[in-house]
Amino acid sequence: MERRSFVKLSAFTALALTLPFAESCSTNSKEMAVAQPLLFSHLVDAKAIREAGLVYRKTHTVEDNQQKLSQLLLSEKETASLSKDEIESMLDKQVTNDFKAGNTVMVKGWVMSLTEARQCALFSILKS
């Protein structure tokens, strides 16, 4: 193999291997912290989260909007002043409180807190 061909092939291979990772870095880190249902993400993969989010958005058309979902989960003032870890902790507490209060919905056979369902919906918008 010629040296020039080898270098081109190596560059294309490196590019092909890094593109999937570039997609995950494309959205704001804090925005993804809001959209990532922590407990649910330990049980299922990203595809299942996206599918649950799509189902929730179809059944709750009033909330089928990125700004509306972000606002319902956390206000912009809160996310601006908090770190990613603080956002995750705050949403985790909201999920716990939802379950304690019986504030749950059935989505694709899963009993989810309303907060988790909204996070899945936001995730499906950000990862579509």
Side-chain angles (χ1 to χ4, degrees):
M1 179 181 275
E2 292 180 13
R3 182 181 184 132
R4 180 172 288 199
S5 297
F6 176 76
V7 170
K8 285 181 184 179
L9 183 60
S10 297
F12 288 129
T13 302
L15 181 62
L17 291 174
T18 57
L19 281 178
F21 299 110
E23 176 190 0
S24 65
C25 299
S26 64
T27 50
N28 182 345
S29 173
K30 285 186 179 183
E31 193 170 37
M32 279 310 297
V34 173
Q36 186 70 35
L38 288 178
L39 176 63
F40 193 56
S41 67
H42 290 295
L43 302 172
V44 299
D45 61 359
K47 181 181 176 191
I49 294 171
R50 192 175 314 113
E51 289 172 357
L54 289 170
V55 170
Y56 181 82
R57 288 170 47 206
K58 285 180 185 176
T59 58
H60 296 79
T61 55
V62 175
E63 297 179 16
D64 189 10
N65 177 298
Q66 181 176 346
Q67 287 75 26
K68 180 71 173 175
L69 287 165
S70 294
Q71 181 184 15
L72 289 168
L73 290 166
L74 289 174
S75 72
E76 287 183 35
K77 289 180 183 178
E78 287 176 317
T79 55
S81 63
L82 297 175
S83 72
K84 181 180 178 252
D85 291 336
E86 290 171 322
I87 291 169
E88 289 173 349
S89 176
M90 195 172 187
L91 288 168
D92 193 37
K93 287 177 187 171
Q94 272 184 239
V95 169
T96 301
N97 291 338
D98 282 351
F99 278 116
K100 285 180 181 176
N103 198 9
T104 60
V105 291
M106 180 74 83
V107 181
K108 278 199 69 122
W110 293 94
V111 176
M112 305 173 81
S113 79
L114 186 57
T115 300
E116 283 179 310
R118 288 175 173 161
Q119 286 179 292
C120 290
L122 183 58
F123 184 89
S124 72
I125 291 171
L126 295 175
K127 291 295 187 172
S128 60

